[in-house]
Amino acid sequence: MAELGRREKEATGDGGVRRRGEFGARERIERLVDPGSFSETGLFVRARDTGASGRRPYGDGVVTGFGTVDGRRVCVFAQDSSVFGGSMGEAFGEKTVALMDLALKTGCPVIGLNDSGGARIQEGVASLALYAELVRRNVQASGVVPQISVVLGPCAGGAAYSPAITDFTVMVDGASHMFVTGPDVIEAVTGERTTAEDLGGARTSNTVNGNAHFLAADEEDALDTVRELLSYLPANNLEPPPEYAPGDAPAGEPLDSVVPDRLGQAYDMREILRAVVDDGELLDVQELFAPNIICALARVEGRSVGVVANQPLYAAGVLDIDASEKAARFVRFCDAFGIPLLTFTDVPGYLSGSRQERGGIIRRGAKLLYAYAEATVPKVTVVVRKAYGGGYAVMGSKHLGADVNLAWPTARIAVMGAEGAVGLLHRRELAAAADPEALRARLVATYERTHGTPYLAAERGYVDAVIAPRDTRPHICRALRALHGKRAHLPQRRHGNIPL
């Protein structure tokens, strides 16, 4: 017993100096999981080959184990920057891979607390091999159990690829950095001078490149975000998301006046969303990236839903490359874990221009079409205002497999807007008219009365009902109740070939 106590004390002791202002690896885990619920695995695993130093610390720089969050099982690993800088060695990698295997066998989420400088140089190819093994486990777990990465320090080199494959990544403002190649190496190889913050800081990753999904103010906020995120998610793809007591139903009457009378005038789509979901609460995913589309987790009558909505406050809610990829990934996540999709449409179409075309808007914009068409979860769509061209088709249309499609009287479902359509269809008449502006105004008004309404789509059954805005939540609640337990089957195949 004395020997056991000595070894436990050595294994759980402070491994060395860590960066100022951070918690240790075990402290982070204890702050994440329910008090007293954590059981550590691999406590006495030791580093293999540490070179000239001869140090073989217990744990090898990573703490692994399982516990509960709000009473629900999770597997957790936390990289320890005080041991070899948190770099991955062979034993470190084997412990992490074993934890991933445990999560897959037991069907519970995996949370990784990342704080690593990358591969351990002195262990050579063994370190690289374990990165590949870890990524293989990430891929095997994808769509089977939720995977959440929290970057609490550096996440460099091979270490960055594992969070890239997981479902969600949380970063801490001013403290987290994630990149394949650091500033010093970039300057040595290319001569370019940059900083870790500009290259892969939390704000860059949340706003510029979209590598992260949540920006936290500090470590406590990051761990709070993980706990909130888990409350919306099932333990695995075979279990339903958790259910809670239905939240308060916001008043629906203000929705009647949210959409401005003038078609080109912007408004905040979140006003509509908050008036529909329980307690008006939304957990935004990638809020700072591609803000022209909103992706969020919410609840309706106590059950989780994934919300996808165009945001007219930014670029009129247009679909561009970033928005398409952001929404496609979110739609596929919800579909993988049985979370119904609620879509709100106000879209002028796909963004035109040479920059978008050269950037691959056809291939990359098609990802969102693919994601909606592939999804078999319940899908409910509300057309709020514009639904033009390809934007109408992609944003949860009946033709891509939506189950219930609703439209407000303000909806405009057409190939294009009235001004553009009139300019193309009547250009000769306008050129010959004595007063072309007066004629244009009459033609636009006629087009909007005939083609620019939701009723043509309703006549064909493409819209199931045209509803008063104030009645949106009741209609959505009834639709989701009717679709609860929906079963759909895709053709047997290895997997589809999404345009990557």
Side-chain angles (χ1 to χ4, degrees):
M1 293 297 293
E3 177 66 7
L4 173 63
R6 184 190 68 78
R7 288 177 180 265
E8 284 181 337
K9 184 176 180 180
E10 182 179 349
T12 58
D14 192 358
V17 178
R18 62 177 185 264
R19 284 168 291 280
R20 181 181 299 176
E22 293 181 333
F23 299 119
R26 288 184 176 82
E27 291 176 297
R28 288 166 170 168
I29 291 176
E30 292 297 337
R31 281 169 165 76
L32 172 66
V33 301
D34 298 334
S37 70
F38 183 67
S39 295
E40 187 169 343
T41 60
L43 176 63
F44 296 127
V45 170
R46 302 188 74 173
R48 303 287 161 77
D49 178 13
T50 58
S53 71
R55 289 182 61 211
R56 295 186 61 222
Y58 287 112
D60 197 30
V62 65
V63 180
T64 58
F66 51 89
T68 62
V69 173
D70 293 331
R72 302 170 66 211
R73 293 177 302 120
V74 295
C75 285
V76 188
F77 69 84
Q79 297 166 351
D80 189 349
S81 63
S82 69
V83 179
F84 301 122
S87 60
M88 180 184 279
E90 185 177 9
F92 177 125
E94 288 175 350
K95 284 179 62 177
T96 309
V97 166
L99 184 77
M100 293 289 296
D101 290 339
L102 178 64
L104 278 167
K105 285 188 288 188
T106 58
C108 69
V110 180
I111 304 160
L113 308 182
N114 295 267
D115 189 356
S116 171
R120 191 173 300 165
I121 297 172
Q122 56 267 46
E123 294 200 29
V125 70
S127 176
L128 301 178
L130 266 301
Y131 269 128
E133 291 281 354
L134 175 57
V135 167
R136 184 157 66 98
R137 297 317 193 281
N138 289 136
V139 173
Q140 290 172 346
S142 182
V144 179
V145 296
Q147 300 178 78
I148 302 172
S149 296
V150 188
V151 180
L152 298 170
C155 186
Y161 286 111
S162 178
I165 296 174
T166 60
D167 299 306
F168 300 102
T169 299
V170 184
M171 297 183 72
V172 177
D173 196 11
S176 305
H177 302 98
M178 186 165 59
F179 38 69
V180 173
T181 308
D184 294 339
V185 176
I186 288 177
E187 184 175 359
V189 174
T190 70
E192 178 188 357
R193 290 187 176 182
T194 184
T195 65
E197 192 64 30
D198 289 339
L199 192 62
R203 287 198 173 270
T204 297
S205 298
N206 272 273
T207 61
V208 178
N209 56 41
N211 288 335
H213 301 80
F214 300 98
L215 179 67
D218 52 33
E219 290 194 8
E220 289 279 15
D221 186 31
L223 301 177
D224 287 342
T225 299
V226 173
R227 282 190 288 268
E228 183 179 5
L229 178 57
L230 285 170
S231 73
Y232 291 95
L233 309 182
N236 56 66
N237 64 330
L238 300 179
E239 296 184 12
E243 293 187 22
Y244 298 86
D248 291 336
E253 287 76 7
L255 291 182
D256 290 344
S257 58
V258 167
V259 176
D261 293 332
R262 189 161 59 84
L263 190 60
Q265 189 173 345
Y267 64 94
D268 189 352
M269 179 63 80
R270 282 190 176 83
E271 290 184 39
I272 296 174
L273 303 182
R274 293 192 184 104
V276 170
V277 302
D278 289 4
D279 301 316
E281 293 181 355
L282 296 164
L283 178 60
D284 271 289
V285 177
Q286 289 185 299
E287 181 179 6
L288 303 178
F289 180 70
N292 40 318
I293 198 161
I294 297 168
C295 296
L297 291 164
R299 294 187 184 90
V300 174
E301 294 193 308
R303 293 186 175 135
S304 296
V305 295
V307 179
V308 180
N310 308 109
Q311 174 55 293
L313 283 182
Y314 296 93
V318 73
L319 286 172
D320 57 10
I321 288 171
D322 287 346
S324 298
E325 293 186 333
K326 168 184 172 178
R329 183 87 192 279
F330 182 73
V331 167
R332 298 193 88 205
F333 172 82
C334 291
D335 185 51
F337 289 100
I339 300 173
L341 286 164
L342 186 55
T343 304
F344 284 79
T345 305
D346 186 350
V347 60
Y350 279 97
L351 182 61
S352 58
S354 60
R355 179 173 295 182
Q356 289 286 306
E357 295 290 351
R358 292 170 68 89
I361 184 66
I362 295 174
R363 168 177 55 85
R364 298 163 77 178
K367 295 177 185 181
L368 186 53
L369 284 157
Y370 191 106
Y372 267 113
E374 184 185 45
T376 60
V377 292
K379 290 178 282 189
V380 179
T381 298
V382 181
V383 182
V384 174
R385 191 168 62 172
K386 305 181 300 297
Y388 292 154
Y392 158 72
V394 68
M395 288 298 296
S397 69
K398 184 77 76 173
H399 324 287
L400 285 185
D403 300 293
V404 176
N405 289 65
L406 309 169
W408 287 7
T410 49
R412 299 290 182 264
I413 302 173
V415 174
M416 61 177 64
E419 290 284 348
V422 166
L424 285 174
L425 296 173
H426 303 283
R427 59 181 180 274
R428 291 182 181 175
E429 297 170 57
L430 291 168
D435 188 350
E437 291 306 316
L439 177 60
R440 179 185 294 276
R442 290 197 300 274
L443 291 171
V444 166
T446 301
Y447 184 93
E448 288 183 341
R449 284 196 307 272
T450 55
H451 294 84
T453 74
Y455 301 107
L456 285 177
E459 288 176 15
R460 291 182 172 270
Y462 300 160
V463 167
D464 294 298
V466 181
I467 63 173
R470 69 177 65 191
D471 297 328
T472 302
R473 179 180 164 93
H475 276 275
I476 288 173
C477 290
R478 288 195 290 270
L480 290 174
R481 279 185 230 132
L483 293 167
H484 189 62
K486 172 190 171 183
R487 295 291 181 266
H489 301 283
L490 295 174
Q492 186 174 356
R493 57 184 176 180
R494 290 178 183 269
H495 57 76
N497 188 18
I498 187 170
L500 297 175

